[in-house]
Every structure is written in structure tokens, then in C-alpha cells.
Amino acid sequence: MQTSRDVTTGEFFVIKEYFNIPLSSLRSVLSATHITTIRLILQYYTINKDTLQLPDKYLSTMISVLFQTHLVKDGSLFPDLAPLLTSATTSDILALPLLQNNINVRETINRNLGRLTMDQRDAFGLWYSKVMSLSNITTGDQSFIRDTGNLIAYLPFYNFQHLTSAQLLDGLDVLKRNTLTPLKQEFIAQSVIGTYKNLTATDFIRLGNLACLADPKDLLVYKGTETFSVIQNIVMNCSRDGLSLPSYLISNVLLNSTELKVPSSISPGRLAELAHLLPLLGVTFLQALTPSQLLEALPALNSVSFSPAQASVIINKISSVTTLTAPDQLKELGTLIIGVRTETLLTLTSDKLLSLLPDMAQSTLGLSPPQTNAIATKLWGFPEVVGWLDDADPLLYCTPLLSVLPRIRFLVNNITTTSTKHWNTQQSKAIFREVLNTKPNLVKQNLLSLGTLGQGVSCTVLQQHIRADSSPSAVRSILTFLRQQPALLHTSLKKCVIEELHQFDFLAELLKDLGAEIALSMPVSTIKKFTRDMMDTLRNLIIQDPHHFLLLPRTKQELLVDKIVQRLGMYTGVFTGEEFHSLGVMATFVVDEIFNQLDRNFFINNLDFLRGFCYSSSKMDIVARILQEPATFGPVKNWNQTTLSQVDWFLFFLPTDKVWDISMALMTVGRIERLFMSHHRWERGDVGSHCWQKTERTKFFEKQQLVLQFYLGFLKISPQSPIPIVPTCEILQTTAPSVWTSTSLTSMSSSAFANCLELMGQDPFLSSYQRIPVFQKVKQMYGPVSTFSQYVVSQLGRLALELSVDELSSLRLTEQRSIAALGTVSTWNNKQLAVLFAAVLNSTKQSPSQLDSSTLVAMGYIVCGAKATEMSFFNAVEFSKAVLWLGQLTLSCSEEQLGALVGLLTHSLAFGPISSWGTEVFIEIGVLAAGLPDMAMSALVKDQIEGMTAAAISMIPPNKFSVVFNQRQISMFSYEQAAAVTQEQIAVLSNVQKTALAMVLTPWEDKPVDFRVGRSLGLALSHSPVCLILGLLMLLIILSCPDPIYPGT
């Protein structure tokens, strides 16, 4: 490395001018600059970089030129480039000259890696691997990692996996100070701990949390030694840090401790230390603790995530020695609030509720619908609530509209505070309407001051504002205002924005200001006409905010990505890693032909990254084929432990006959648990939770079930099949009850079975043949159904589907938590629903008119067990406060029953006559809109139709649908509403109605494509072109004429 000489002031004055070169000329100028001047430029930059404030593009261009032009000629320049390394692109890093063996270069990179992004670090690792042959690694000294330095941590796993156990143990300190992928962490742990059986306590302290990733059997060899206490502390720390650990590890290292055998003997201090383990120890352990133990440990328990059943055990015990509803005590509950009975919450006075709210904010998502309804309705029953909005804010999303309406005038008077809260769409619309009526000048002159109420703005007002000042800057301000709303914008508002802006010549300039949510509401037929630059802008919007793309229907996702890929020219050749990265979340939605061409090197080196994406059934099959190619991992029968770690839960993509080829010895209980745990983490994320359709999820579950049952010996396909194990409750939590056989579930110990009863009741995949024997065990443990406690009933969930009608009628449903456990089950038949409704009335000693809103919410699907005549006696106000929750359910009520429920909503103390309902009421009542009388539905105007949910549209009986909605109303549907129309409804529509529907689903100038899975409206409406044109002409003529059915429109 050359030493920089002192630079004169005159030289610096000249050098300074290099930083004023236009970006367009920078590359050519620097390429031609002499190396001596380049060094002076770098020296000047190092001294003055904070004051220069050069744009990122300038810096990335600068280092790109230096990498590609000057570094090739003089490698000694590299240390001078250190300040610029953060601006290097991954492609420039990968194109670096072969300087890997230059110690100055390596040390410069090692010193600066901590400042770089993970992509940049991985790029340096990949560059370094180019001279790293396998023999270099395996024959290297024990100090190989220490000698190489930080760079070693970022080698591709293909290289990393060849590091020896001795090298890994020696280089632990280097490895741990860097950011290791989960795969590398697991490899280090299993390699070191699996190889050495005599590691010291010091070795384990150096390993730290990495030890938790070892095979549990390798840790248990230290049981009985002094080292084991260190291992226990490490596993305890891993558990406390929230790391997902196999049940076998937790059970054998922590939960089998002698001190846990007698719970009541544990000191409160020690119980506090064990707080994070209590959910794993289960309800039987909690039931054995004393009230005084729990009360003293409460400060440590109130931030732990307990299940509702576990929390209720703790709450019941604490309430036996203290007044639970005392203000000071309520504040201490924290996450345990989910265990408080709804009936108790309803007794709270305003001061007690207020004391509870600040500490309860973190727990609102864990509360049940009856609990949130009880708290919200109670809170908004006090006139003073308008002054408590800061505390009430976390519960606004679940506050009934009817509770808010009487307070709207006061909310508008306090508009400064009101406009900062997280209202839902229907509340925002109601408040905005009042603002418009009482403060029209505020709306006209300062719309943007309305903050979070912007999601409630009407299309008419929005149009007026845009037309009043349609300059690009003014429109951008409105778009920024809409992008900042706290909830998803309603479809009608997005449609209004798109239609209004479509007329402007500068729409292309505004595209980036729309945000992903509004931009993705455009029809595909509009998007496909985008220029390359506009398509690139849309691509960037989606990458920056992928959530809205994930919410789209699958076929629209695929069509959209296809248009983007076509416009950006990605249809030929290898599907490179750079192209994959450039598409972000959309990368796995390309057509199968492109995905098949995915670069295999990129695939094998980025499996951790690739597991974060969404895969359709066909993509799963492609991934499975790639995994078995010779260039990747080869035949499944040759896979080893490291291969399985790399493949991870992609293993479930393999065809069944290929899965069986994996060695029995490799598929241990711990390995299978890790596969499930890894998949659960993906499934809980934004991508996983929005990825699969029902058929894909079912198919994947069946594969999981087959894998577990085969490798754990439940399917005796070969003589080598192991003896089936009896599951613990802990392993049911890391896998799922439904993947186990019913025999294995009923063979569980009574305490383990009791600990997992709640989990089994909530498992959506537990089939009837599994539920029947499981429920028999429930009866063996708890006695006849008529004697079940509220605590037991509250955990039954779907298990209760196996009760006979007589058993259902004998259930005691005295508490809302037990009613809610059965009310969330959607698959009851009509007879069962009627029996359950009667059981609720008999148990609570209430008549239909006495049922309050939280009880109706708890009843859920059971509401349809009431006769229409009984429904007519429901308290209209209480029912209207429950409709926010009930309207989200796909209720199995008959048309007569829905009509009776709608009748309640029209009460003068509820929402009043249907003709007065705005968009907000239709959003609030959800599916119940399907019960509107024929005359009322046929008279609906645009604002009202816009509020109808897609689920409500799909629930309207076909014959009624064809009568009440004429072609003009159908043309008002949003895409989501039109896509919800069922085949049975379409079958009875007239040609003109079908044409109106087709026009909504796709513009008339394109071939009609129905985005619903497996259906094409273009094929369903297979008229000749002449017929279609005539139908369109008829529709246009009708739409241009006044319609006598619509007075006031």
C-alpha cells in the first residue's frame, strides 16, 4: 500500500472540482484519470466526506469505475477505497479482480464488513470463494478461520460446509462476531457438538446460544456432569430469548428438572425466573401452583404469552386471594387480561376501565371477540369517552359503529384529537360525513388536516378537491394523505382515485406517488399498457410495500407479474439471481417456464432466502425437481444430514415416493420437529399467511402428516420402521395434533392430554375419525358431558362436533368463554345449531330479548340456531352492537332468518330505515346485507352498493340476486364484488346482466377473464362476438336512460 503524501492547498482546490462533475460524465472522466490523481481524490473524499454530502448514485458510480478500471491495474489502491465500500453494488463486488490472496485487500474487507449490508457481505463472501477450493479448506490449519478473518463467515454454504469441526471450534470467536445464517449456525452446532463428546463448560460458554441448535441427544451425553448446568443455562437463555426449540430439547434439558416435580414448593422468585417456561409446562402445572406463589410472581408473568385456558387458571387462582377488579390490580395483569371472564369486564366502572387500558394496549390482539366487544361497548357507554381517546385508541378497530354514532358530534367538536386516532373505515366515513355537514369550510379549505379520517372521505369530495387544483403538486399532496391512512383504503375510494386521475396526462409522473395499494387496484388491462419506465416504477412500489400484492387474488397476481416480466424483457434465457431479486415478492409468481430456468447456482446458494417466498402447487413441483437434479443435491436416497438442513421444509414439496427414499436414521424426532417449526415460522409471516389457497394448504398438510407418521413408525411400510412414540404436549405444539394418529393422541398421559386439550380443540385439520376417539378420552377424564366445567367446555372447540344431539343439549353454557368456544365452529348442522341455541338460553336463564351484545358475539355461528321468530325478539341495539363481528362470519342462516336480523338493524334506535343507510352501515353489517328485503335491495344506490362486502354478495340466493340487481346496479360493483358472484348466481342472470358483470371483471375491449380460481367468465359466457357486441350496445343504451326504480339518484 502506498503512503499518501501531504497534499498542497492548490492541489486540493483542483481535486475538489472532481466532485462537481455531472453524474452523466463521471464514469468517463474518472476512467481516464491517472492513478496518482485518483489517490488524491480518495484522500480528499476521506477527509471531507461528511461535508461533501454526495448522492448515493454518485458514490456508487465512483466506486464502480475504480473497481472496474483502476483496481485491475493497481491492487494496492484497495485500502484507499475503504470509505466507499458501502456504496458498492453486489455486481461490482462480484466483478472484483482476483485479489483474494492479497493480505492488505483481505484485511481491509475484514475491517469494513460490519458497515456493509448483508447483500454486500454475501457478495464479498461469494467473490472470496472463487479461489477457495475444497482442498484449501479441508487441508487448512486448525487456525484457518482465525487466519482468514470475518470474510469466512460469508462464504456460500457450499464452501462453508467443508470447514472441519476443529477449525470451527478454534474459530468460534470470529464466527460469532459476524452475522451467520440460521443454516450456518445449525451446521456449526451440529458439527462441533456432534463430533466432540468431551467439550468443557468453557467450550459451551463460547458456543453460547449456538448450542441450542445441536441435536438434543448430543447434549444429553453431558447429563450428570458439571458441564450440564452450563448447557441448561444456555437452553434457558435461548427459550427466554424467544428462540424456537424442539420439544425434545426443552423437555429433557429443562422440564425434567427435579424442582418442577412439586410446583407448590418453588419459591416465587424462582417462579419468576421460570415465567417464560410456564406456557410449556401447561395447565396441570399451573393448577398445582398456589395463589400466593402466582400473586408474588405476577410482575414476571404479566408479559408472558399464555393461552386463554392457561391465563384463566392463573386469573382464577389470583382472584381467590385478591380483589381482581381493584384498579391497582387490574393494571398489573398485562397479557393475563385474556384470562379475565367477559362477565367480569362488564362490571367494571369507568375509572377501572381507564386504569386498565394503557397496560392492556399490548394485549388487545390476544383478547377474544366477546372480550373486546364488552370492553368497547362498556367504554363507549360513558359520555366522557371522547376525552379518553388516547387510551381507547387500541380498541377502536373493534368498537361497534352504533356505539360511536351517538358521540360523533362531540368527536367532531374535538376534531384535532379525533383526526389522529386509528378509526376503522366505517367509523371514519360516519365522522367525515358529520364534519362535512357541520364544518363544510374545513373540508373545502383544509381537507388534508383531517388526518386519519381521510379513509372516510367521499368520492364526491375527493373529486372536487382534485378538480379545484389539479396541479401535480396538489394531487401528490392528496395521494400522500391517502397513503398515510392507518387502515386499508376501501375499494370504492381506490376506484374513485384511479378513475379521477386516469384523465390526466401526467398520470405516469404520479404513479410512484400512488403507493402500492392504490396502484394495484388498477385493472390489469390498464397496467399492461404501461411503458417500460412506468412498469419499473410499479415494480419498485410492490417491492417496497409487498403486502398489498399479497392480498390480490392468485390469478391477478400471476397476470400482473407476467405483464411486468414481459415489459422488462425477462422472458428469455436463464432466470438469474439478479432478476429474481429485482422482482422481490413477485419472483415466484412468474410463469412456470421462466421459473424452470432459475439459475441453479443462485438456487443452491440462497435456499434460506428462497424459503421466504410463496409457492403455488406447480412451483412446489418445480422446486422438488430442482432439488433432485445432479447439479444441486442429486437423488434423495443420497442426501445426508447437511442436505436436509439446507433443504429444510422444502422437503415437504417432494413427491411421496421420493420422501420415502430419505434414510430412516436421518429423520429423527428432532429433525422432523425442526421441519415443522421452520414451516410454522414462514406460515406466521406476511408471505406465508397470505400465500396458499385452501386446496394447496390441505395438500401440504397431508404431506406433513405422511412424513411424520411414516418416520415415527405409525405407517409400517418397511421392517426398519421405528416403534411409534407417544407424543408429549410440547411436541404437539411444535408440530400439530392433526398430524398424529388418534391412537397416539389417546395414548398420551392424562396431564399431557389435559395440557393440550385447548390446542386439539382449535386444530382445523383434526378430522372426524381423529376427533371421535379423542373426545372419548375427554369423557373418560372429565366424566359425562353434562358435568363438564366451563373451563373444560371453553377448550373443546371443534372436538364438540362429535357430541350427540342429546349431549349438546346437556352442555352447561353459563359463561361466555364456553359459548364462544362453540360459537367459533362454522360446520354445525342446522339441528345442532338449534340445540346449542336452546342450550345457551337454558344455561344462562335468559330469553332472546335479554341477550347482550357480547353474548351474541360469543354465540357466533350459533345465532343461526334461533328461529326467525326468536330472532325478532333480540334487543335491536344489542344485536346492532354485535353485528361488527357477526357480519364477518359466513353464517348459515336461512333467508328468513337473515331477513329477521336485518329487521333488527332497521330499528329507530339502531341504524334506522335502510334508505338512510350509508356506505358505513353496509360495511359494518357485512354478510347480513344479504338479508335485505327484495324491494329494499332493488332500490340500493351506488354508495350503498359500494358498502356491500363480497361475502354478502355471494350469500344472496341466486333467484333473488337475478331479480333485485339489474344491469345498472351490477355495473356499479367493484371487481371484488363481481368476483364473488357464484356460478349458481350467474346461471340465472339474463344476457344483459352477464354482460354487465363481465364489464366489471374486465374492460369490454379485452377478452373477459374471470380472476376467480378455476373459472373463466370468458368461457362461461361463450357467446359469439356479434352477441357480445349486441349485449354491450343494449347495456349502454340502458345505462344512458333514466331508471324509474331509482328515485333520488
Side-chain angles (χ1 to χ4, degrees):
M1 184 175 78
Q2 295 184 15
T3 304
S4 297
R5 64 175 176 83
D6 292 333
V7 185
T8 66
T9 304
E11 285 177 318
F12 259 171
F13 179 80
V14 174
I15 295 301
K16 182 180 179 181
E17 292 306 307
Y18 277 90
F19 295 97
N20 294 322
I21 295 171
L23 182 60
S24 58
S25 306
L26 184 63
R27 183 173 292 275
S28 58
V29 171
L30 287 182
S31 296
T33 303
H34 191 273
I35 189 69
T36 304
T37 307
I38 290 293
R39 290 184 186 280
L40 294 177
I41 291 170
L42 291 171
Q43 188 179 349
Y44 183 89
Y45 174 74
T46 301
I47 296 171
N48 300 286
K49 60 182 178 181
D50 292 335
T51 55
L52 284 172
Q53 295 185 338
L54 298 170
D56 292 341
K57 185 66 176 173
Y58 191 99
L59 294 175
S60 64
T61 302
M62 187 173 171
I63 194 165
S64 177
V65 175
L66 299 179
F67 271 10
Q68 294 173 19
T69 305
H70 296 286
L71 200 59
V72 175
K73 301 172 186 175
D74 188 353
S76 67
L77 182 68
F78 195 89
D80 297 329
L81 297 174
L84 285 170
L85 290 181
T86 55
S87 299
T89 65
T90 55
S91 56
D92 282 334
I93 293 170
L94 291 173
L96 279 169
L98 296 177
L99 298 170
Q100 289 88 339
N101 295 322
N102 184 318
I103 190 168
N104 288 327
V105 171
R106 191 170 70 227
E107 287 307 310
T108 300
I109 296 171
N110 279 332
R111 284 195 305 272
N112 288 278
L113 276 173
R115 299 191 301 119
L116 306 184
T117 66
M118 279 305 299
D119 284 343
Q120 289 172 319
R121 297 183 209 183
D122 289 338
F124 271 117
L126 186 55
W127 167 77
Y128 192 71
S129 72
K130 292 177 181 179
V131 297
M132 188 77 66
S133 68
L134 301 187
S135 61
N136 288 150
I137 298 174
T138 55
T139 61
D141 294 338
Q142 184 170 311
S143 60
F144 182 73
I145 293 174
R146 284 190 291 114
D147 295 341
T148 305
N150 296 327
L151 259 173
I152 203 83
Y154 303 100
L155 287 177
F157 188 75
Y158 174 77
N159 302 90
F160 193 90
Q161 67 181 318
H162 296 289
L163 291 166
T164 67
S165 302
Q167 291 168 337
L168 292 168
L169 184 59
D170 180 84
L172 268 178
D173 297 334
V174 172
L175 294 170
K176 286 193 64 184
R177 70 176 178 235
N178 286 282
T179 304
L180 298 166
T181 65
L183 178 61
K184 289 176 181 175
Q185 292 178 35
E186 183 180 327
F187 174 75
I188 294 168
Q190 299 198 352
S191 178
V192 172
I193 299 174
T195 300
Y196 298 105
K197 305 302 179 185
N198 58 348
L199 293 171
T200 65
T202 303
D203 291 329
F204 275 102
I205 290 171
R206 289 181 65 217
L207 279 161
N209 284 5
L210 289 178
C212 297
L213 301 174
D215 192 314
K217 65 179 174 52
D218 292 328
L219 295 175
L220 293 175
V221 301
Y222 294 92
K223 205 162 189 176
T225 68
E226 291 182 10
T227 302
F228 195 66
S229 63
V230 175
I231 293 173
Q232 285 180 306
N233 287 335
I234 291 171
V235 175
M236 179 73 85
N237 288 335
C238 289
S239 176
R240 189 178 289 115
D241 292 343
L243 300 179
S244 297
L245 302 176
S247 67
Y248 187 72
L249 177 65
I250 290 285
S251 299
N252 289 282
V253 175
L254 297 181
L255 303 188
N256 278 348
S257 169
T258 306
E259 68 175 334
L260 301 179
K261 301 298 181 187
V262 186
S264 59
S265 67
I266 301 173
S267 70
R270 180 58 176 159
L271 190 63
E273 292 175 9
L274 297 170
H276 65 284
L277 291 178
L278 296 186
L280 292 173
L281 290 164
V283 291
T284 54
F285 182 88
L286 295 172
Q287 286 166 338
L289 294 169
T290 65
S292 58
Q293 280 176 297
L294 289 166
L295 189 59
E296 288 189 55
L298 185 59
L301 303 181
N302 64 13
S303 59
V304 176
S305 296
F306 290 99
S307 73
Q310 292 170 338
S312 69
V313 169
I314 297 173
I315 291 296
N316 288 342
K317 283 185 170 288
I318 290 176
S319 62
S320 68
V321 293
T322 186
T323 304
L324 192 65
T325 55
D328 291 342
Q329 196 63 63
L330 282 171
K331 290 175 65 175
E332 293 296 317
L333 293 182
T335 57
L336 290 170
I337 188 70
I338 65 173
V340 177
R341 295 167 60 245
T342 306
E343 292 82 355
T344 302
L345 295 172
L346 285 168
T347 66
L348 298 179
T349 57
S350 62
D351 60 321
K352 291 177 180 177
L353 265 178
L354 280 177
S355 69
L356 174 65
L357 287 175
D359 296 286
M360 193 187 69
Q362 61 178 326
S363 312
T364 52
L365 295 180
L367 293 169
S368 68
Q371 288 174 315
T372 55
N373 178 273
I375 296 171
T377 53
K378 182 82 177 181
L379 193 65
W380 283 80
F382 300 112
E384 300 86 353
V385 69
V386 294
W388 306 336
L389 290 183
D390 287 342
D391 293 330
D393 195 43
L395 286 170
L396 290 180
Y397 77 97
C398 58
T399 300
L401 179 62
L402 195 65
S403 294
V404 176
L405 289 177
R407 315 287 177 213
I408 282 185
R409 184 165 57 86
F410 302 101
L411 292 170
V412 171
N413 289 340
N414 189 23
I415 195 66
T416 303
T417 300
T418 299
S419 61
T420 64
K421 304 309 170 193
H422 293 73
W423 306 99
N424 64 31
T425 301
Q426 52 270 43
Q427 293 162 349
S428 296
K429 283 187 171 294
I431 298 171
F432 180 82
R433 181 182 291 108
E434 181 67 16
V435 174
L436 189 60
N437 290 336
T438 60
K439 300 185 176 184
N441 288 336
L442 175 64
V443 174
K444 185 176 182 180
Q445 297 168 10
N446 201 3
L447 176 69
L448 305 189
S449 70
L450 294 181
T452 57
L453 297 175
Q455 59 186 313
V457 66
S458 68
C459 185
T460 302
V461 169
L462 192 65
Q463 288 171 334
Q464 289 171 351
H465 270 264
I466 292 175
R467 292 170 187 176
D469 183 355
S470 57
S471 65
S473 60
V475 175
R476 283 193 178 95
S477 297
I478 291 176
L479 293 175
T480 301
F481 172 60
L482 294 176
R483 285 202 315 274
Q484 293 171 345
Q485 296 306 306
L488 295 176
L489 300 177
H490 193 258
T491 303
S492 59
L493 184 57
K494 290 185 285 188
K495 184 179 178 183
C496 175
V497 172
I498 294 300
E499 289 178 351
E500 187 64 21
L501 298 186
H502 201 270
Q503 60 186 306
F504 294 134
D505 295 334
F506 54 86
L507 176 61
E509 300 172 34
L510 292 175
L511 186 56
K512 65 178 181 295
D513 300 292
L514 289 178
E517 182 180 7
I518 296 177
L520 287 173
S521 67
M522 292 184 185
V524 174
S525 57
T526 299
I527 293 173
K528 78 177 186 181
K529 298 169 187 172
F530 280 4
T531 63
R532 182 187 176 91
D533 286 344
M534 291 175 71
M535 203 67 88
D536 199 46
T537 299
L538 179 63
R539 177 186 63 81
N540 279 316
L541 286 176
I542 296 170
I543 290 172
Q544 292 162 12
D545 187 7
H547 178 70
H548 302 288
F549 174 81
L550 293 170
L551 296 178
L552 296 175
R554 170 71 60 77
T555 311
K556 184 169 183 179
Q557 289 172 327
E558 292 174 344
L559 284 172
L560 182 65
V561 173
D562 191 46
K563 301 305 176 189
I564 291 175
V565 167
Q566 283 182 38
R567 185 69 73 210
L568 298 181
M570 295 183 186
Y571 245 110
T572 57
V574 174
F575 186 22
T576 65
E578 187 176 354
E579 289 174 330
F580 192 100
H581 277 289
S582 73
L583 290 173
V585 73
M586 298 178 285
T588 51
F589 290 88
V590 296
V591 295
D592 289 356
E593 290 78 10
I594 293 180
F595 194 75
N596 255 321
Q597 301 303 314
L598 184 62
D599 183 284
R600 298 313 192 244
N601 283 330
F602 170 76
F603 178 87
I604 199 169
N605 287 322
N606 291 275
L607 280 168
D608 268 355
F609 171 67
L610 293 172
R611 280 193 296 275
F613 288 80
C614 175
Y615 297 87
S616 64
S617 290
S618 64
K619 296 298 191 303
M620 290 185 223
D621 293 339
I622 293 172
V623 169
R625 288 198 298 272
I626 295 175
L627 290 172
Q628 301 170 73
E629 291 174 356
T632 51
F633 300 115
V636 175
K637 63 183 178 182
N638 296 333
W639 289 8
N640 57 29
Q641 195 77 272
T642 303
T643 311
L644 293 182
S645 294
Q646 289 177 268
V647 171
D648 204 271
W649 63 269
F650 277 177
L651 178 145
F652 294 121
F653 290 2
L654 294 174
T656 302
D657 62 322
K658 297 299 180 184
V659 170
W660 301 157
D661 289 343
I662 301 173
S663 166
M664 281 279 182
L666 296 177
M667 293 294 282
T668 61
V669 176
R671 168 65 62 189
I672 291 171
E673 272 197 271
R674 288 192 186 279
L675 292 176
F676 275 86
M677 289 159 57
S678 179
H679 173 252
H680 287 330
R681 282 194 296 274
W682 172 82
E683 199 170 33
R684 288 192 292 266
D686 199 29
V687 173
S689 60
H690 293 100
C691 176
W692 285 336
Q693 296 161 352
K694 186 176 180 180
T695 53
E696 290 170 335
R697 182 64 188 91
T698 301
K699 179 183 174 183
F700 189 83
F701 158 74
E702 290 169 351
K703 184 67 64 62
Q704 288 180 305
Q705 188 180 54
L706 279 169
V707 168
L708 181 138
Q709 294 188 11
F710 175 72
Y711 283 104
L712 297 189
F714 297 105
L715 302 177
K716 292 293 183 181
I717 294 178
S718 70
Q720 291 79 35
S721 295
I723 298 172
I725 68 170
V726 176
T728 61
C729 182
E730 293 82 29
I731 201 170
L732 291 192
Q733 291 170 344
T734 55
T735 55
S738 51
V739 297
W740 297 80
T741 64
S742 55
T743 303
S744 65
L745 295 175
T746 55
S747 299
M748 295 169 68
S749 67
S750 295
S751 61
F753 187 89
N755 284 340
C756 263
L757 179 58
E758 183 178 29
L759 185 67
M760 289 186 274
Q762 294 172 349
D763 192 327
F765 289 105
L766 204 64
S767 60
S768 182
Y769 75 85
Q770 292 170 305
R771 294 194 301 262
I772 291 171
V774 166
F775 197 78
Q776 288 303 315
K777 174 143 186 166
V778 173
K779 289 193 281 189
Q780 289 171 15
M781 289 176 57
Y782 298 106
V785 172
S786 60
T787 66
F788 283 2
S789 66
Q790 296 305 288
Y791 169 74
V792 172
V793 176
S794 70
Q795 298 177 76
L796 292 181
R798 287 171 48 80
L799 292 176
L801 286 167
E802 304 311 320
L803 270 69
S804 67
V805 170
D806 289 340
E807 287 174 324
L808 283 175
S809 65
S810 70
L811 277 173
R812 290 184 296 123
L813 302 173
T814 57
E815 295 182 4
Q816 290 190 22
R817 60 175 173 169
S818 57
I819 298 170
L822 306 184
T824 56
V825 178
S826 61
T827 50
W828 300 109
N829 61 41
N830 290 337
K831 189 171 185 180
Q832 290 171 319
L833 287 171
V835 170
L836 282 169
F837 181 77
V840 171
L841 296 184
N842 292 334
S843 301
T844 59
K845 309 298 182 188
Q846 290 182 310
S847 66
S849 63
Q850 294 173 308
L851 298 172
D852 63 15
S853 62
S854 58
T855 303
L856 289 164
V857 168
M859 291 174 72
Y861 291 97
I862 298 174
V863 164
C864 293
K867 297 174 184 174
T869 51
E870 292 173 310
M871 290 176 170
S872 64
F873 287 107
F874 287 169
N875 182 301
V877 171
E878 294 298 320
F879 179 77
S880 297
K881 290 179 180 177
V883 79
L884 173 60
W885 169 251
L886 295 177
Q888 298 174 42
L889 308 178
T890 308
L891 297 173
S892 60
C893 295
S894 67
E895 188 175 357
E896 182 186 9
Q897 288 173 310
L898 287 176
L901 295 177
V902 168
L904 298 169
L905 301 176
T906 62
H907 192 282
S908 60
L909 296 178
F911 297 119
I914 296 170
S915 59
S916 69
W917 291 3
T919 308
E920 70 277 5
V921 175
F922 282 88
I923 297 173
E924 178 87 356
I925 70 174
V927 299
L928 292 170
L932 263 63
D934 291 10
M935 287 294 291
M937 195 173 288
S938 65
L940 294 180
V941 295
K942 187 175 185 288
D943 284 352
Q944 295 173 316
I945 290 174
E946 286 176 343
M948 291 188 75
T949 64
I953 296 286
S954 68
M955 286 178 60
I956 300 170
N959 289 329
K960 177 176 179 175
F961 186 93
S962 65
V963 171
V964 299
F965 287 135
N966 61 27
Q967 57 283 347
R968 181 170 184 169
Q969 289 171 306
I970 291 173
S971 70
M972 298 175 186
F973 281 9
S974 67
Y975 159 71
E976 288 78 9
Q977 290 171 323
V981 178
T982 67
Q983 290 291 5
E984 292 75 18
Q985 290 169 329
I986 291 174
V988 294
L989 296 180
S990 68
N991 286 341
V992 176
Q993 287 172 312
K994 288 178 180 178
T995 304
L997 187 63
M999 287 180 70
V1000 175
L1001 284 168
T1002 55
W1004 67 270
E1005 68 269 22
D1006 294 318
K1007 179 182 177 183
V1009 176
D1010 187 345
F1011 291 148
R1012 294 166 296 180
V1013 177
R1015 292 187 283 180
S1016 171
L1017 193 61
L1019 297 177
L1021 307 176
S1022 53
H1023 310 298
S1024 70
V1026 174
C1027 291
L1028 186 56
I1029 291 169
L1030 289 174
L1032 290 168
L1033 289 172
M1034 290 169 61
L1035 179 61
L1036 292 171
I1037 292 168
I1038 292 168
L1039 293 180
S1040 64
C1041 298
D1043 192 331
I1045 283 180
Y1046 294 91
T1049 60

